[in-house]
Amino acid sequence: MKDFGCEIRATMDIDHLLNKSILLMDLPETNLEEIFSKIIHEMDIQEPEFTAEQVRNVLFTADSNNQFHILSRTVQSICTTGTIGGSFDYDQTWICALCMLSTVQHRHVAIARLSHPTNLGRTMQDLRFIVIVIAPSRAKGTKTALETTRTFATLFADTDIRQKLVMANSIDSFRQTLLNAAKELAVDQENWRGRKASIHLSQAKEQVFGQGRWYPFRGLIQDFQRRRAHYYSDFVDGITGERTISKLFSSVIFLYFACLLPAIAFGVLNDDNTEGGINVKKVIFGQAVGGIFFALVGGQPIIVLLTTVPLAIYIKVIFKIAEELGYDFFAMYACVGIFCQMFLIIYAILELCNLMKLATRSAEEMFSLFIAIAFIVESFRAVHDSFVNNYYDCDEKYEEKLQAAVATNTTATFTGVPCQRATSILYMLLMSGTLWLAFSLYNFRKTPYLTRSRREWLADYALPASVLIMSFLGAHVFSEIEKDMFKVREKIPLMALPDLFSLPWQAYPVCLLLGFFLSFLFYMDQNITSAIVNNSQNKLKKGTAQHWDLFVVAILNIFLSVMGLPWMHGALPHSPLHLRALADVEERVAQGHVHEVIMNVRETRLATLIAHILILISTFTLLPFPLRWIPTSVLHGLFLYMALTSLTGNEMFERLLLLITEQQAYPPTHYIRRVPQRKVHLFTACQFIQLLILCMVGFSPYPFVEMVFPIVCFFFLPIRHILIPRLIDYKYLDALDGKH
């Protein structure tokens, strides 16, 4: 049955098609073929390649004597009899017949009322109404022959509506009865949905402000008590159950590479931004310490902590400000971090994480896309720099000029740069090769090759396998070509306490302001990551712990701040990917479109704990030599892989693709059925404009503009709740931006 109050196409089809449909009243014919021949003749379809014989061939199935008397595709309503065996009865007073033709460009509808109930065969023994729908064979998913037939069938399935149609004494009255019935049905269903929505809105206040008497620390205490009850099972669930050990092992390997390699890449980025102040070794060590600490005391063990691109941007802002004002960077860094974490502790104590329950799906989608764009920007910026340094801004005759400088003893003033074009080409090949290989292995589960368990095994190890293979190719197959490798600055101490009181008094208000802005970034990142992980579609069973997680992150980052280690918080897309690594996923087909459904998730701390213990060991064993064989191009290929895999399931990205998608290939998603197409594109445009603003601020060349990036993220919430509803009705926003 069509939902006229929800599926927008239902009412639109009635308004559009009924006004130009053919209505035939009180036909006297009693033979099925004669009735349909007359209806088709009266339709008088004026399309160049159309013939009535085509409709006849599609509508009817011939018997052994080549007689056309059986309808091929019909829609009727049935009702169960309630008897043992699940038998049912047909509603034999009406029938809808449908056919799809490649020779028509538009939909055509005809409705006939017989002069009296007529027996036209099995399931049509008391037939009074006949509906014929003819539609193009290639049509938009919501405008196919079946969808159009469902619209009219929903009306004829109502006994009261059919009785009114029997009593109609003219074609205009017949048509008006159907139009009124469709409107009344839409209003009734909308009123029912409104009552449901009012209940939902009344519960929203309770979700944000909670039930019962409020007092400070209430959210922290409740989160701690909720998660403490599952603390033992958080470890046991990682080793019990079917396929759990293999899933745990593959998740550990995935997390090891998914955290270690970005840590190296962010270490290179921070090393460049801070002139070695925060280097690769510090980032890896901080990642290991933070990951172990959160795995042991964090509330939601699925969340992965990581230093991120926005944090790297903010660290660069602090370094530039400290450099311009002449302050000690590490002292200012520690002060900003301490002030920021103090604000986070206050947010956790006052239960301000509940405000993020007002954040809709669009906020999560925009932030996820921004992170993906940041990964892509950093990767292509690295390729650009490699080509500038080694391909364009170089000296073709470097060797000749160097020899001449040696001969004339003028090497001290010689500043030429040799051309190493092969380095740039190899950089691009290794980066794109890592992306291609990782994607190929990740999607191997969709191929028919090998067995299902081996396909799953290859998909689980897509990330580490691609990194190791491409690193081997770069280090040995192309060993004669010079490559960009990351550098480890051994002389810089791993941890050092800064002199917090070396700053002048004017620096502390600046640090307080920077810390306040930074707290918004932590607050948004941590809570959005938590909301995505705890989404009901993921079927997690142990409950959330947003306040406790924010408190634990604040305590951890106070330590990282005073030790000069990089900050970290819940990261995208690592946390959702970690969840999928621990999940059993099934592929299901809905109307020709494949989508994945999570069936079960192993909620365990073991994967995160073991992976970060291995990272800690790697800091002192692998970093001095083996990890140096990984080219930075492979690391940026990893960035691209993480960015593109995070787009799966992002509805904003899917709606952006609709702008360049043929309409008949639109997926049968809930919002396609329930929202007019122009409203879908309008909402996508609003999101896209906000994303552009976010990117313009986040990637600004001016540090004081980048500084307000977290505030911009936060103010998207009131824009969504105040401005967007003025452009798009709430009933459409519920479909486009609700929690599904």
Side-chain angles (χ1 to χ4, degrees):
M1 301 277 282
K2 273 285 182 77
D3 187 341
F4 276 71
C6 178
E7 297 187 52
I8 189 65
R9 177 55 62 181
T11 305
M12 291 174 64
D13 279 350
I14 292 296
D15 292 340
H16 175 67
L17 295 176
L18 194 59
N19 287 325
K20 63 177 186 177
S21 63
I22 300 299
L23 302 181
L24 303 176
M25 305 288 288
D26 301 328
L27 294 182
E29 285 79 5
T30 58
N31 179 275
L32 184 64
E33 189 171 352
E34 291 178 358
I35 292 172
F36 275 83
S37 295
K38 183 167 185 177
I39 295 173
I40 296 170
H41 175 73
E42 291 293 333
M43 291 179 76
D44 192 25
I45 299 175
Q46 300 296 323
E47 301 220 21
E49 300 179 9
F50 171 80
T51 62
E53 188 63 27
Q54 294 171 343
V55 180
R56 174 189 171 92
N57 292 335
V58 175
L59 276 179
F60 291 93
T61 300
D63 61 7
S64 56
N65 297 321
N66 202 32
Q67 297 295 316
F68 293 90
H69 67 275
I70 302 173
L71 290 171
S72 300
R73 301 188 66 193
T74 60
V75 172
Q76 285 180 271
S77 60
I78 59 173
C79 59
T80 58
T81 61
T83 59
I84 298 175
S87 61
F88 54 85
D89 290 331
Y90 283 93
D91 184 346
Q92 306 203 23
T93 60
W94 64 274
I95 193 168
C96 289
L98 62 149
C99 72
M100 296 176 291
L101 296 175
S102 59
T103 55
V104 298
Q105 302 298 320
H106 307 285
R107 292 177 293 170
H108 304 273
V109 177
I111 303 174
R113 186 180 72 183
L114 304 184
S115 59
H116 56 271
T118 307
N119 184 353
L120 295 178
R122 190 175 64 87
T123 77
M124 297 182 293
Q125 295 171 6
D126 194 29
L127 200 64
R128 191 67 190 272
F129 297 99
I130 297 174
V131 181
I132 299 179
V133 175
I134 301 173
S137 56
R138 295 178 60 84
K140 184 180 177 182
T142 55
K143 298 169 70 174
T144 61
L146 179 59
E147 289 297 316
T148 307
T149 304
R150 281 182 59 223
T151 298
F152 286 91
T154 300
L155 294 178
F156 280 92
D158 190 304
T159 305
D160 293 336
I161 295 175
R162 289 203 307 272
Q163 186 60 37
K164 292 178 182 177
L165 293 175
V166 170
M167 302 299 293
N169 52 19
S170 67
I171 290 178
D172 291 338
S173 174
F174 192 95
R175 179 179 282 110
Q176 194 61 44
T177 299
L178 278 176
L179 288 172
N180 293 338
K183 292 177 181 178
E184 290 172 5
L185 188 59
V187 170
D188 290 343
Q189 292 173 332
E190 193 62 41
N191 288 339
W192 176 84
R193 188 168 293 101
R195 292 193 295 273
K196 298 281 286 185
S198 65
I199 296 173
H200 174 72
L201 290 174
S202 67
Q203 293 173 343
K205 183 177 178 181
E206 295 179 357
Q207 290 180 351
V208 174
F209 299 103
Q211 297 178 342
R213 185 175 62 87
W214 182 88
Y215 53 88
F217 294 95
R218 184 184 68 169
L220 281 173
I221 294 171
Q222 291 176 348
D223 284 352
F224 178 74
Q225 291 175 342
R226 185 187 307 116
R227 293 301 308 191
R228 184 182 62 178
H230 301 289
Y231 193 76
Y232 175 73
S233 67
D234 285 342
F235 292 93
V236 176
D237 290 349
I239 55 176
T240 57
E242 184 181 359
R243 295 182 64 234
T244 297
I245 296 297
S246 62
K247 276 287 184 182
L248 175 67
F249 185 73
S250 63
S251 299
V252 168
I253 300 300
F254 165 78
L255 276 181
Y256 175 76
F257 283 94
C259 293
L260 177 62
L261 298 178
I264 295 173
F266 285 127
V268 174
L269 186 60
N270 282 312
D271 188 288
D272 295 337
N273 292 340
T274 62
E275 297 180 2
I278 298 179
N279 58 13
V280 174
K281 192 170 185 179
K282 282 190 172 188
V283 176
I284 296 177
F285 181 71
Q287 177 67 43
V289 171
I292 293 172
F293 179 75
F294 192 80
L296 292 174
V297 301
Q300 176 52 269
I302 301 296
I303 293 176
V304 177
L305 299 192
L306 203 72
T307 188
T308 60
V309 173
L311 285 180
I313 292 172
Y314 215 85
I315 291 173
K316 180 176 71 173
V317 170
I318 295 172
F319 182 81
K320 288 183 177 180
I321 292 175
E323 197 174 44
E324 289 179 10
L325 300 179
Y327 300 154
D328 176 54
F329 165 66
F330 282 108
M332 189 172 182
Y333 177 80
C335 282
V336 171
I338 292 172
F339 280 128
C340 170
Q341 310 317 315
M342 287 172 54
F343 283 114
L344 292 186
I345 293 173
I346 293 172
Y347 300 159
I349 291 172
L350 299 180
E351 288 189 66
L352 294 185
C353 291
N354 285 341
L355 291 175
M356 286 302 293
K357 292 179 181 178
L358 297 176
T360 56
R361 189 184 185 103
S362 61
E364 301 168 8
E365 292 169 351
M366 282 189 293
F367 202 81
S368 297
L369 270 180
F370 174 78
I371 298 298
I373 291 171
F375 279 136
I376 295 171
V377 167
E378 289 299 329
S379 299
F380 280 96
R381 185 179 291 165
V383 173
H384 173 264
D385 292 343
S386 177
F387 270 83
V388 168
N389 296 332
N390 301 311
Y391 204 96
Y392 296 112
D393 294 347
C394 59
D395 195 336
E396 295 277 1
K397 300 181 179 180
Y398 175 81
E399 294 295 336
E400 298 177 9
K401 292 181 179 180
L402 179 61
Q403 292 177 3
V406 171
T408 58
N409 200 21
T410 58
T411 54
T413 58
F414 181 69
T415 57
V417 177
C419 286
Q420 297 175 318
R421 293 191 170 92
T423 299
S424 299
I425 299 297
L426 181 62
Y427 194 105
M428 186 171 62
L429 289 176
L430 290 178
M431 186 180 75
S432 56
T434 304
L435 173 65
W436 171 80
L437 185 58
F439 251 115
S440 298
L441 294 176
Y442 180 75
N443 291 320
F444 197 80
R445 58 164 62 95
K446 300 177 182 179
T447 68
Y449 308 117
L450 304 180
T451 62
R452 179 175 179 177
S453 60
R454 288 185 173 87
R455 292 198 298 267
E456 288 287 338
W457 186 85
L458 281 173
D460 288 339
Y461 294 99
L463 179 65
S466 60
V467 170
L468 292 176
I469 291 172
M470 299 310 294
S471 296
F472 175 81
L473 287 176
H476 296 282
V477 178
F478 299 100
S479 57
E480 69 279 4
I481 300 176
E482 186 175 341
K483 291 168 285 296
D484 294 324
M485 311 296 250
F486 68 89
K487 301 176 179 62
V488 179
R489 302 178 191 249
E490 299 287 355
K491 296 181 180 179
I492 297 177
L494 191 60
M495 293 187 292
L497 287 171
D499 185 2
L500 296 178
F501 302 102
S502 64
L503 297 172
W505 69 267
Q506 298 93 335
Y508 296 106
V510 176
C511 293
L512 178 66
L513 185 64
L514 287 169
F516 178 68
F517 288 164
L518 182 61
S519 69
F520 278 87
L521 178 60
F522 272 88
Y523 176 84
M524 295 288 291
D525 262 19
Q526 182 65 37
N527 284 291
I528 286 176
T529 302
S530 179
I532 291 175
V533 167
N534 291 298
N535 190 297
S536 59
Q537 291 179 335
N538 295 330
K539 298 182 174 64
L540 300 183
K541 301 175 182 177
K542 298 183 180 180
T544 62
Q546 288 177 297
H547 310 293
W548 179 255
D549 283 342
L550 191 65
F551 178 76
V552 170
V553 166
I555 298 300
L556 168 64
N557 281 284
I558 289 176
F559 169 77
L560 297 177
S561 298
V562 298
M563 291 299 172
L565 300 173
W567 300 309
M568 55 199 308
H569 53 60
L572 297 173
H574 300 74
S575 300
L577 291 177
H578 176 213
L579 183 142
R580 290 179 70 85
L582 290 169
D584 293 322
V585 180
E586 285 188 0
E587 286 189 349
R588 294 181 179 175
V589 179
Q591 298 188 24
H593 294 265
V594 180
H595 66 282
E596 294 183 342
V597 177
I598 291 178
M599 305 304 297
N600 172 61
V601 179
R602 299 159 181 84
E603 300 179 57
T604 179
R605 299 177 185 270
L606 286 178
T608 313
L609 181 62
I610 296 172
H612 283 88
I613 290 175
L614 293 176
I615 291 174
L616 182 63
I617 296 172
S618 302
T619 307
F620 302 101
T621 57
L622 299 181
L623 189 59
F625 183 72
L627 288 179
R628 294 188 184 184
W629 286 103
I630 301 177
T632 56
S633 53
V634 173
L635 299 178
H636 286 101
L638 168 71
F639 273 7
L640 291 177
Y641 170 76
M642 302 293 279
L644 296 181
T645 51
S646 70
L647 300 178
T648 303
N650 189 306
E651 285 190 3
M652 179 182 172
F653 180 72
E654 292 173 356
R655 282 186 273 104
L656 284 170
L657 292 181
L658 292 182
L659 298 173
I660 56 173
T661 301
E662 187 180 5
Q663 287 196 358
Q664 68 185 27
Y666 278 17
T669 53
H670 57 280
Y671 53 84
I672 293 296
R673 293 181 175 276
R674 295 169 58 182
V675 185
Q677 185 173 316
R678 65 183 183 279
K679 295 292 184 182
V680 172
H681 295 327
L682 176 60
F683 182 74
T684 306
C686 293
Q687 279 189 291
F688 185 68
I689 291 171
Q690 293 177 79
L691 181 63
L692 282 180
I693 295 172
L694 199 60
C695 292
M696 283 166 37
V697 175
F699 302 131
S700 171
Y702 307 105
F704 288 97
V705 175
E706 289 180 302
M707 187 178 69
V708 300
F709 160 77
I711 304 294
V712 174
C713 296
F714 186 79
F715 274 99
F716 284 158
L717 298 183
I719 288 175
R720 164 60 181 83
H721 290 284
I722 297 174
L723 180 61
I724 302 298
R726 296 178 182 272
L727 302 174
I728 303 172
D729 293 343
Y730 278 107
K731 64 179 180 180
Y732 300 144
L733 286 175
D734 182 58
L736 288 165
D737 202 19
K739 300 286 186 180
H740 305 294

